[in-house]
Amino acid sequence: MDKSLSRGLVILGITLAVGMSAAAFIFGVQAKQIGSAKQTITVKGLAEQPIDSTAAEWQISVRSHGETFEEALNNLRQETPALQKFLSQYGFDAKNFSATTESVSPNMVSETNEQGHSIEVQRGFNGQQTLYVKTDQLDKVQQARAKIIEYQAKGHNIDSSNADFLVGNLDEVKLSLIGEATKNAKARAIEFAKNGDIKIGTMRTASQGTFDILPADGSVEDSSGGNYDKSSIKKIARVVVTIEYNIER
């Protein structure tokens, strides 16, 4: 064999051997890094608490009609005090009331003309004013709402909305529940770890998920999160948190 060819094969063999050793070293380091990388577990924690509404807001719109602007306004100015008098029977007074500005607008109706076409024509004027009732006496609101239909039956033109029952200390409730939900998440993580031959380490990340106010009777399902039920006095406050823990083997 030619000496130069033999020398070239020897050099090639040495080069390949060195390359393979270097590659083995590099892959070995990567494998070690991958094996030593910290593993984590992510769990959700849940906490619930019964709460009661602390305030109520009720909206009632008063309406009037008149052949003239002045007549509609005068009628409106009789109807609003009449409504306040009715509500006073249930313990409401001036401090519970606030009202929008009086408004009067043309009363437009649809009629058929001589050619059989439908047209809009003015027939007098309509007045309107909205009265807001705000109180912490929730039982009074319930009593008045139950009787408002009898007031309407006497010829009073009003539109009564559903009352909103609100919670005034939501921040305190939320903070308390976040603490409980965090404890619940830790308990769940530990339960998972029991069958995995691992230990739960320090908290890595934490985030608050949904905060819901739901009716206590379960009449509204928590589907999308971020619910705030205002229809019921008795409620359930619920917080969900997501926490990531380091794993120790």
Side-chain angles (χ1 to χ4, degrees), residues 44-192:
K44 291 185 181 294
L46 171 68
E48 293 182 339
Q49 175 184 326
I51 56 175
D52 292 333
S53 300
T54 57
E57 296 182 1
W58 184 21
Q59 177 179 320
I60 310 170
S61 292
V62 181
R63 303 182 186 279
S64 68
H65 180 77
E67 294 302 315
T68 65
F69 187 105
E70 182 179 15
E71 183 181 355
L73 179 59
N74 288 337
N75 290 340
L76 181 64
R77 289 178 173 174
Q78 294 177 13
E79 283 297 327
T80 299
L83 175 60
Q84 292 174 326
K85 182 178 180 181
F86 165 78
L87 294 173
S88 68
Q89 301 176 53
Y90 300 92
F92 299 113
D93 53 32
K95 72 175 184 295
N96 300 118
F97 301 138
S98 63
T100 61
T101 303
E102 301 164 324
S103 66
V104 177
S105 58
N107 178 48
M108 306 303 295
V109 298
S110 179
E111 296 183 356
T112 303
N113 61 16
E114 295 178 354
Q115 290 74 35
H117 299 140
S118 179
I119 59 173
E120 293 289 319
V121 296
Q122 181 181 348
R123 292 289 183 260
F125 293 84
N126 293 325
Q128 180 176 338
Q129 186 173 32
T130 300
L131 188 69
Y132 295 94
V133 181
K134 297 182 180 181
T135 180
D136 57 3
Q137 302 295 314
L138 309 187
D139 56 330
K140 294 180 180 179
V141 173
Q142 291 180 306
Q143 293 169 9
R145 287 182 63 232
K147 295 295 184 179
I148 196 72
I149 192 170
E150 297 177 8
Y151 181 78
Q152 291 174 294
K154 294 179 180 180
H156 297 285
N157 188 8
I158 61 171
D159 292 327
S160 172
S161 70
N162 292 326
D164 289 337
F165 296 103
L166 311 174
V167 180
N169 58 336
L170 284 181
D171 285 342
E172 295 177 20
V173 172
K174 183 188 293 187
L175 287 175
S176 173
L177 287 178
I178 288 176
E180 293 301 316
T182 301
K183 294 177 183 178
N184 179 255
K186 182 68 176 289
R188 293 187 184 204
I190 293 173
E191 192 64 31
F192 279 123

Side-chain angles (χ1 to χ4, degrees), residues 7-65:
R7 187 184 304 113
L9 291 174
V10 171
I11 294 173
L12 176 61
I14 294 172
T15 302
L16 290 174
V18 171
M20 292 176 65
S21 298
F25 173 76
I26 293 172
F27 287 127
V29 171
Q30 289 179 343
K32 182 179 180 181
Q33 289 176 341
I34 292 173
S36 64
K38 289 185 177 180
Q39 293 179 308
T40 63
I41 183 173
T42 301
V43 293
K44 291 185 181 294
L46 171 68
E48 293 182 339
Q49 175 184 326
I51 56 175
D52 292 333
S53 300
T54 57
E57 296 182 1
W58 184 21
Q59 177 179 320
I60 310 170
S61 292
V62 181
R63 303 182 186 279
S64 68
H65 180 77

